Amino acid sequence: MQDIANLVETTPLVSIVGTGGAGKTRTAIEVGARLLERFPQGVWFVELAPLNDPSLVPNALARALRVQESSGRSLLDSLIAFISGKRLLIILDNCEHLIDQARVIARSLLRECQNIALLTTSREALGIDGERAYQIPSLSVPDRVLSANEAIGYGAVALFADRVHAAETRFELTDDNLKPVLEICRRLDGLPLAIELAAARAKILSPQEICDRLDRVVELLTGGRQASIPRHATLRAVIDWSYDLLSRQSRALFDRLAIFRGGFTLEAASAVCTDQTVLPNDVLESLSSLAAQSLITVDFAHGTTRYRLLEATRQYALEKLKERSEMDALAQRHAQTYLQVAVRLDRDWYCASERSWFLEAEAELDNFRAALEWSLGESNDLRRGCLLASTLARVWYSLAPIEGRRWVRLAIASMPEETAAGDCAQLYIADAELCGALFQSAASLGSAEQALRLRPALDDLQVARAQHAAGSALAAVGRGSEGEALLQETLAAAESLDNRRLKALALSDLGTAHSRRDDLDGARRFYADALALYVSLGLERPAASIAGHLAEVEFEAGDPAAALHRGEEARAGHAATRNRRSEAADLSNMAAYLVAMDCFDDARAYASQALEAGRDVAAPVLVAFVLQHIAAIGALRGPNWDQAAMLLGFVDARLQSLGAHRDYTERQERDRALAALQGRLRDRLDDLMQLGARWDEEAAVSVSTHTVF
């Protein structure tokens, strides 16, 4: 670990390579923990084992780093924008099955982000210039018989003794049992997973008996000859031995568990893997047996117990599953089970605890992807795939809207001719909601209208969702009266259905619609009602967003102090729910409120935080607004008015190129700053602003950071 840590500190790319079960992942995690203090922006672990689709590698990175998708740029570009300039370490774990894409991503990150380090684990090196490949060694085994006290200082012996003690608490390493223990560790070439699998037998076998059986396993491999065995063959032989000792039922369950990606629950295993061979009532006992023998791992970290196969054992189980010719039948049951999970999450979105809902949705994301790949991507069950894609709309909306829209649009393009009208309409509703999440209002409106044309096939909740999407989109594209009418219909439907979250959504969007037409009292009333509902439902994320909307209303009403109070309420809520993009927007708005109050030092501090956060989440419009706040501070306070004018010129040009418009907060601030600059600079102002218009974002940020305003 120290050797690898030293390499990471001096080389931008280090790859830990070795056979399955050699301990690459555990080593990488421990190295990352040792180096935490050396990387101010953190050490980030990215698990690639559950992925089958190479195109999802950037999604796994974004999920780990909490980088949100942006419709205006590729996810890789957003990641680069977030990472650039930071000193951090990224661990890419289990790259071997996605080696080409991992290589592309690593090259891009290292080329664009000079301060980062990458640590990968794989069965082979990436093969990139400058890479240092570290072949992970076996755990150490003494080459001669020592005393038990001396032998325990060797890694392989210590691991075996620790795992045997976990299985049989009365076990102690002594001089009497040392010889077979050393022989076991030598036979297994110090491979950690092989040692764990062998040690798991200590409940029913003594070390000598384990050693004797390993001798027979090795004889089978070598045909009785004295020969060294490749490490991967050693591990395979020990897994074979462990597998052969399982009951017929446990073997069948173990094989079938390979269908899961990223882990599974007891309920899912019971639903997917049971039949006449594996009975539902016996699944828990079999899982306990597999865990006791180190063939699966158990995770209690998130409240609900989840199980998973290590990648080495999953690949083994997958081979056995294919030999059984059960893949298609099992994949079908897997897709049906996760459709049911999606239906429940969709239903519970309106009433469940926000944090527990998010935890479950995120934990099952890889299984949802697997079900979609089989049913929709491989066209094995298009109807089920279409239903799954549409039912996951709320999950995609919350976690990965761009990826979700891609699945939904694939489903729309793949719908069989006989698809029921209601199923078609659900897909259009999902597309409308996901386009709305990405601020693509025209596209959202088109899909919502498609859904409403199929209204007779929809139930009342689906109609209300389509009306809500259409009403929000209409208000956003300037057809406010039509939008408000549909939102009022949504509100009435929500009250009729006694659906408080849908009611809060409608109230919130009615508040936005009234704000757009300068009805501040109406906006305040609708927002306040929505906020009260969200608070009563315990929904922190939307409550924080409504607080932010109320801050803008208070500011437009002429009360910046009240706006600042609401803005801090929003910021705290977004920080608590790790919504970095919204937190950046809150900080930006608070800077503007402080500028309006002539509290320039505080405004500058908030703007600096907002600038860092806005660049982290790759939000160019937000970054431009923050730079305007800094320009306004310079214009109103000085002494560097020339730089303030150029910075304002950059902001004007940048917003125009992005097709973005200023709301009231930014409009009034620009007017005030421009008037101040005209009074100071007179005829020079236009030339200075045109000069700033030619800057790029890096130049503008540099000026804003290094100029005294």
Side-chain angles (χ1 to χ4, degrees), residues 628-644:
Q628 178 182 294
H629 304 329
I630 296 172
I633 295 168
L636 296 168
R637 180 167 69 172
N640 294 301
W641 289 282
D642 286 11
Q643 286 83 352

Side-chain angles (χ1 to χ4, degrees), residues 526-601:
F526 283 118
Y527 282 146
D529 289 347
L531 180 60
L533 272 174
Y534 282 134
V535 170
S536 71
L537 290 166
L539 299 172
E540 297 173 272
R541 288 185 179 215
S545 296
I546 296 298
H549 294 326
L550 278 168
E552 290 286 86
V553 170
E554 296 298 346
F555 185 70
E556 192 169 352
D559 192 345
L564 193 64
H565 176 76
R566 283 292 192 184
E568 173 54 28
E569 184 182 337
R571 187 211 62 75
H574 286 135
T577 54
R578 297 193 295 179
N579 190 336
R580 183 72 163 157
R581 184 183 296 272
S582 294
E583 185 184 6
D586 297 330
L587 289 165
S588 175
N589 287 336
M590 293 167 76
Y593 307 153
L594 288 161
V595 169
M597 298 166 68
D598 292 341
C599 298
F600 297 126
D601 288 336

Side-chain angles (χ1 to χ4, degrees), residues 346 349-350 389-398 400-402 404-405 408-409 412 425-441 443-449 451 461-473 490 502 505 509:
D346 183 61
W349 186 81
Y350 293 98
S390 62
T391 305
L392 286 171
R394 297 299 191 188
V395 172
W396 297 126
Y397 185 99
S398 303
I402 293 176
R405 187 182 59 178
V408 167
R409 292 193 170 177
I412 290 171
Q426 284 188 69
L427 281 168
Y428 286 122
I429 291 169
D431 191 63
E433 291 175 341
L434 292 169
C435 287
L438 298 168
F439 305 105
Q440 296 178 355
S441 301
S444 177
L445 178 59
S447 290
E449 288 176 339
L461 178 57
Q462 291 168 332
V463 170
R465 284 176 65 176
Q467 288 176 327
H468 173 247
S472 301
T490 306
L502 180 61
L505 282 170
D509 284 351

Side-chain angles (χ1 to χ4, degrees), residues 11 168 246 452:
T11 309
E168 174 50 70
L246 295 173
L452 289 170

Side-chain angles (χ1 to χ4, degrees), residues 96-286:
E96 54 271 348
H97 63 304
L98 303 166
I99 196 75
D100 291 337
Q101 184 67 5
R103 187 180 295 122
V104 169
I105 297 293
R107 278 196 178 117
S108 297
L109 293 178
L110 293 172
R111 183 177 60 249
E112 302 295 336
C113 308
Q114 303 300 315
N115 295 322
I116 70 163
L118 293 180
L119 177 61
T120 74
T121 74
S122 181
R123 297 187 185 183
E124 59 178 301
L126 298 188
I128 296 175
D129 289 345
E131 177 185 23
R132 294 291 299 274
Y134 189 95
Q135 181 76 41
I136 193 166
S138 301
L139 293 176
S140 57
V141 184
D143 56 9
R144 58 188 176 85
V145 177
L146 307 170
S147 69
N149 285 338
E150 291 175 297
I152 202 70
Y154 289 79
V157 178
L159 178 63
F160 183 85
D162 178 75
R163 295 302 185 262
V164 172
H165 186 75
E168 174 50 70
T169 55
R170 291 171 295 178
F171 173 81
E172 288 184 18
L173 185 68
T174 65
D175 292 344
D176 293 334
N177 60 25
L178 177 60
K179 185 176 179 180
V181 170
L182 293 181
E183 187 60 27
I184 290 167
C185 293
R186 290 189 190 112
R187 287 288 192 192
L188 299 182
D189 198 22
L191 272 173
L193 180 55
I195 290 171
E196 289 201 32
L197 291 171
R201 293 291 157 193
K203 273 199 169 185
I204 55 173
L205 298 172
S206 70
Q208 185 61 59
E209 290 169 325
I210 293 172
C211 185
D212 293 342
R213 280 157 179 77
L214 281 176
D215 280 343
R216 289 198 283 273
V217 168
V218 172
E219 285 176 11
L220 286 173
L221 276 176
T222 62
R225 301 183 307 275
Q226 291 293 322
S228 62
I229 308 169
R231 298 173 81 201
H232 66 86
T234 299
L235 178 62
R236 173 75 186 212
V238 177
I239 298 177
D240 278 335
W241 178 46
S242 297
Y243 183 82
D244 290 341
L245 291 173
L246 295 173
S247 68
R248 175 170 166 267
Q249 177 174 275
S250 292
R251 281 201 299 268
L253 178 62
F254 175 69
D255 298 347
R256 294 169 184 177
L257 293 176
I259 201 71
F260 293 102
R261 299 245 196 101
F264 54 91
T265 62
L266 170 63
E267 292 75 19
S270 299
V272 175
C273 300
T274 55
D275 59 7
Q276 305 93 315
T277 304
V278 181
L279 300 175
N281 290 339
D282 296 330
V283 171
L284 180 58
E285 182 179 347
S286 291

